[in-house]
Amino acid sequence: MRKEERITDRCTQYALDVIEGRTVAGELVRMACQRHLDDLEKSKAAPYKYYFDIEKSEEIINFAEELTIAEGEERERVTAFPFQCFILGSLNGWRTKEKSYRRFRTSYIQLGRQNGKSFINGILAAYYGNFDGYNYGKIYCTATKQDQANIVFDEIKKFIESDDELAEWFTIHEHNHTIDCLFTHSEIRALSGDTKSLDGHRAYLGIVDEYHAHKTNQMYKLLEGGIKKLKSALISVITTAGFDLKSPCYNLYEYCVNLLRGTFENDSQFVYIAQLDEGDDWYTPENWVKANPILEFDEDAVEHLIPVAHTARDMGGEDLRDFLVKQLNMWMQWSNATYIKDIADWKKCAVLKSLKDFSGAKCYVGVDLSSGGDLTSIAIVIPHTVAGVKKYFVHTHSFIPASRVDEHIKTDKTPYDVWIQKGLVTVTQTLGGIKTDYKYIIKYLKDLIKEYGLKPQLVCYDPHNASAFLSDLEALGFDSVAVTQTAKELNDPTVDFRLEILAGNVEIEGVEVGAEGKKKVVPVDGLLTWSIANAKTVSNNYGEIKIDKDITTDRIDPIDAIIDAWKAAMREEYKPDINETVNEWLEQYEKYMKGGEKK
């Protein structure tokens, strides 16, 4: 879109100001703005399902600016900042061409602390509750705790109580955290993590506040399941970044980033992520507006943030992490002891290879045995060379007793049932399904060896709980070695495995996802990725490390098995088998001679 083609609505004006450089914004906000401008062009063509209704876009912004802010020394009318106009205008302005339903069904907005997150959701709730023309709607303000859910509720309440005219349209019931919308007979309600109270209800607007604090996606999914038949329903997630890279919020964040970058296509998902760009100096105040767009209009707030940044820089540790996550809106694992600091480094290991590509290869086997009803894992590590560089292809598989599956789904808050269905986990049925039967592991290994012609050089196992396993292992006829689970014994493979991941020399099975021409490779094994995110490091008095976990439900068994195998695999200087080399030469020579005879 050229400069002279500017549209005067405030939503589109913000997009133009960002793209044309008049408003400072990070890469992801620029992508969101470009998406809006591109979709305006698409909407001119008949096949495109959506159009942008300027009147509807301006309507919700005008509503916002009729509200009153009573907090502080003086009452004042709301002034919607340009980024807020973009968010509100996009959510309400984009419509389906057929029946003018709202286009966006889900919204993910990520802003730094004190950027009016609850303020935006409060506007949406008040507007959709009474002034959108939808009768008997349910608006839910949800969070993990009631106090957090009440933040958005209280924002709506302040709007109502600050304006006598607005108050005539609502009745507030503080005892049960509900607000009656008198014109439409709709209801606004604040709900905490008691997800049962959502069962059977269909949310016209479902607000998920500070999603980064949610341990599971259950509340989000309950809201999502209830909007199927509501043509203009919306789930609004507004959050800061968080410290848990295993959280459902981080998964949604990653998805939305990839959507903006074109890896995925989803016209019904709105995205606005304000964060610094890679390479930006964390301590340069001019960069902070990328994560905190409200700072453009508050010089005092910038000045107040400068000493906070300097203190965080000087003190480091938790103070620095809190500054980076909450003020600069950057996802970061909480613990200093996290084994892989950036899970993206692990996901880069995904390649379009599988065990089929390594038929007949030498390999090293690692086995992490459980004490009874927990997860047991086996790892296959295959050293090989690519253009003279040593690489390692890694395959893992896990086992769990049948009677413990449901229990672990609840305690670990992870989808074992999905992983079982995908063939990543085998359920063991013998011994009443109470304890893992190690014969399943032996059979699995034998089947792999037979199917792919693998040549195990060494089976490395944790000697703890191994007595019942050893007799079966000996029957396979492969050399084995016990790997004592101490930092002294495991330091070298633990350090080397991490270094090879960061160097890009570890390979795990991946699959292509995304639109044609914009595909990317992602890991197939969700259990393995989950376990790498769980892994922390602990050290002994000599500074030697091994991996561990924070809590018992953070399983790291697949990574333990890999590191057991890695101890042997890392020491192998890859040398081709002489017989294999001779056979390959003879095969090539035979082909050459046959070619000469034809001539």
Side-chain angles (χ1 to χ4, degrees):
M1 183 174 289
R2 300 188 302 272
K3 277 189 178 182
E4 61 269 21
E5 293 178 6
R6 281 187 199 165
I7 300 172
T8 56
D9 73 273
R10 285 169 282 184
C11 175
T12 304
Q13 189 61 58
Y14 175 79
L16 285 165
D17 288 342
V18 167
I19 294 303
E20 294 173 3
R22 289 183 294 276
T23 295
V24 177
E27 177 192 17
L28 295 178
V29 169
R30 291 195 299 273
M31 288 179 175
C33 290
Q34 190 62 59
R35 182 189 187 201
H36 175 78
L37 298 176
D38 290 345
D39 289 352
L40 285 176
E41 290 298 316
K42 290 179 187 176
S43 69
K44 296 174 183 177
Y48 195 64
K49 292 167 52 178
Y50 308 100
Y51 78 104
F52 185 65
D53 189 324
I54 292 176
E55 184 177 335
K56 290 292 186 183
S57 176
E58 289 291 307
E59 185 178 290
I60 194 169
I61 298 169
N62 290 335
F63 169 79
E65 295 195 328
E66 288 294 320
L67 299 173
T68 300
I69 298 176
E71 187 174 343
E73 297 176 359
E74 297 180 5
R75 291 171 180 255
E76 59 177 317
R77 282 286 178 88
V78 166
T79 299
F81 296 117
F83 78 94
Q84 294 168 339
C85 291
F86 178 73
I87 292 169
L88 293 170
S90 293
L91 292 176
N92 209 53
W94 278 104
R95 301 272 166 164
T96 62
K97 286 179 178 178
E98 186 177 358
K99 293 189 177 179
S100 199
Y101 296 133
R102 278 194 296 272
R103 163 188 171 178
F104 292 117
R105 309 274 287 165
T106 51
S107 169
Y108 182 83
I109 298 163
Q110 187 175 300
L111 296 162
R113 185 181 283 161
Q114 298 298 313
N115 275 265
K117 298 185 297 296
S118 300
F119 172 81
I120 293 171
N121 270 331
I123 292 169
L124 290 172
Y127 179 76
Y128 291 156
N130 237 346
F131 305 103
D132 191 42
Y134 188 85
N135 297 311
Y136 298 98
K138 298 291 185 182
I139 289 89
Y140 295 121
C141 308
T142 69
T144 54
K145 298 180 180 178
Q146 190 65 50
D147 287 348
Q148 184 67 48
N150 289 346
I151 291 175
V152 175
F153 179 86
D154 289 341
E155 201 71 42
I156 306 163
K157 179 181 157 210
K158 281 189 288 186
F159 286 146
I160 295 169
E161 293 179 340
S162 301
D163 187 326
D164 292 338
E165 290 185 15
L166 189 65
E168 294 179 4
W169 297 85
F170 297 91
T171 300
I172 300 169
H173 305 284
E174 290 198 54
H175 69 284
N176 62 355
H177 313 291
T178 61
I179 299 173
D180 294 333
C181 306
L182 303 179
F183 181 66
T184 62
H185 308 289
S186 297
E187 180 185 68
I188 301 169
R189 178 181 292 186
L191 294 172
S192 64
D194 179 13
T195 53
K196 290 181 182 178
S197 56
L198 284 174
D199 287 341
H201 293 296
R202 297 184 298 178
Y204 184 59
L205 172 64
I207 293 169
V208 184
D209 198 32
E210 296 297 11
Y211 193 32
H212 73 271
H214 291 231
K215 297 299 182 186
T216 73
N217 66 352
Q218 188 174 7
M219 190 172 290
Y220 182 94
K221 288 299 180 184
L222 282 169
L223 288 171
E224 188 179 56
I227 69 171
K228 292 176 183 176
K229 295 183 179 180
L230 303 183
K231 305 303 183 184
S232 281
L234 172 68
I235 298 176
S236 172
V237 174
I238 305 186
T239 186
T240 58
F243 299 102
D244 186 0
L245 302 188
K246 300 173 297 188
S247 69
C249 186
Y250 182 73
N251 290 335
L252 181 56
Y253 161 80
E254 282 197 309
Y255 169 75
C256 289
V257 169
N258 284 318
L259 190 154
L260 288 177
R261 289 178 174 160
T263 304
F264 303 122
E265 293 181 3
N266 184 349
D267 283 329
S268 66
Q269 172 76 57
F270 177 77
V271 182
Y272 184 94
I273 299 172
Q275 66 180 38
L276 271 65
D277 295 325
E278 189 174 349
D280 281 345
D281 186 347
W282 299 339
Y283 309 108
T284 300
E286 289 77 15
N287 289 334
W288 297 341
V289 72
K290 293 181 180 180
N292 304 273
I294 209 166
L295 291 182
E296 182 181 354
F297 310 96
D298 193 342
E299 293 182 4
D300 290 340
V302 176
E303 290 301 316
H304 294 155
L305 194 55
I306 289 173
V308 174
H310 290 171
T311 301
R313 178 191 61 197
D314 297 340
M315 294 188 68
E318 293 182 10
D319 294 87
L320 178 57
R321 283 192 295 275
D322 187 77
F323 173 72
L324 296 177
V325 173
K326 295 305 176 187
Q327 302 294 352
L328 300 191
N329 208 22
M330 299 166 58
W331 281 91
M332 182 171 291
Q333 195 75 36
W334 173 261
S335 174
N336 265 335
T338 303
Y339 184 54
I340 300 298
K341 303 293 183 187
D342 188 348
I343 201 68
D345 290 325
W346 170 255
K347 292 183 177 181
K348 289 176 185 174
C349 297
V351 294
L352 294 176
K353 295 180 183 178
S354 68
L355 283 176
K356 291 180 182 178
D357 297 290
F358 296 95
S359 296
K362 296 178 182 178
C363 66
Y364 294 84
V365 180
V367 184
D368 182 73
L369 302 168
S370 67
S371 57
D374 288 333
L375 209 62
T376 291
S377 297
I378 185 172
I380 310 291
V381 177
I382 302 175
H384 62 286
T385 58
V386 177
V389 178
K390 187 176 182 181
K391 303 277 187 177
Y392 302 86
F393 181 81
V394 175
H395 170 85
T396 65
H397 191 81
S398 297
F399 305 81
I400 191 170
S403 67
R404 305 296 295 275
V405 174
D406 289 341
E407 174 191 339
H408 280 303
I409 289 173
K410 293 175 182 176
T411 59
D412 300 4
K413 296 181 173 62
T414 48
Y416 285 101
D417 49 345
V418 175
W419 293 336
I420 291 166
Q421 188 176 19
K422 289 185 175 181
L424 304 173
V425 180
T426 293
V427 177
T428 65
Q429 303 286 351
T430 53
L431 305 178
I434 296 172
K435 184 178 179 182
T436 297
D437 184 351
Y438 293 152
K439 287 183 172 62
Y440 277 80
I441 302 172
I442 298 298
K443 182 180 185 307
Y444 181 82
L445 183 56
K446 285 176 67 176
D447 288 346
L448 284 188
I449 292 169
K450 182 178 180 181
E451 183 174 1
Y452 301 113
L454 298 177
K455 301 172 182 176
Q457 304 298 293
L458 201 60
V459 177
C460 308
Y461 63 91
D462 174 359
H464 189 58
N465 304 312
S467 56
F469 177 70
L470 286 176
S471 58
D472 292 324
L473 183 62
E474 287 173 2
L476 282 179
F478 298 116
D479 293 335
S480 62
V481 62
V483 179
T484 309
Q485 303 296 292
T486 63
K488 178 181 176 62
E489 184 84 1
L490 294 173
N491 178 77
D492 289 351
T494 302
V495 171
D496 191 70
F497 181 47
R498 176 164 59 187
L499 290 175
E500 295 291 6
I501 289 170
L502 299 178
N505 293 329
V506 174
E507 299 175 339
I508 55 176
E509 184 175 353
V511 63
E512 281 189 322
V513 298
E516 196 62 41
K518 298 176 182 177
K519 291 185 181 295
K520 64 178 295 186
V521 181
V522 299
V524 166
D525 194 337
L527 171 57
L528 180 56
T529 297
W530 178 63
S531 67
I532 199 78
N534 287 333
K536 308 292 187 291
T537 58
V538 293
S539 62
N540 60 17
N541 293 334
Y542 300 99
E544 297 164 324
I545 66 170
K546 67 172 187 172
I547 64 166
D548 205 339
K549 55 192 177 184
D550 279 345
I551 55 178
T552 56
T553 54
D554 281 352
R555 313 290 172 190
I556 57 172
D557 307 81
I559 306 303
D560 277 330
I562 291 172
I563 289 176
D564 286 343
W566 204 268
K567 186 174 175 64
M570 64 178 281
R571 292 199 170 97
E572 181 197 64
E573 291 298 327
Y574 184 77
K575 296 178 182 178
D577 186 298
I578 294 297
N579 292 327
E580 290 179 1
T581 303
V582 171
N583 288 335
E584 286 178 8
W585 186 89
L586 289 172
E587 185 178 331
Q588 293 298 321
Y589 179 75
E590 187 176 345
K591 287 181 180 178
Y592 172 78
M593 293 301 294
K594 286 181 178 178
E597 290 173 3
K598 290 180 181 178
K599 290 179 183 179

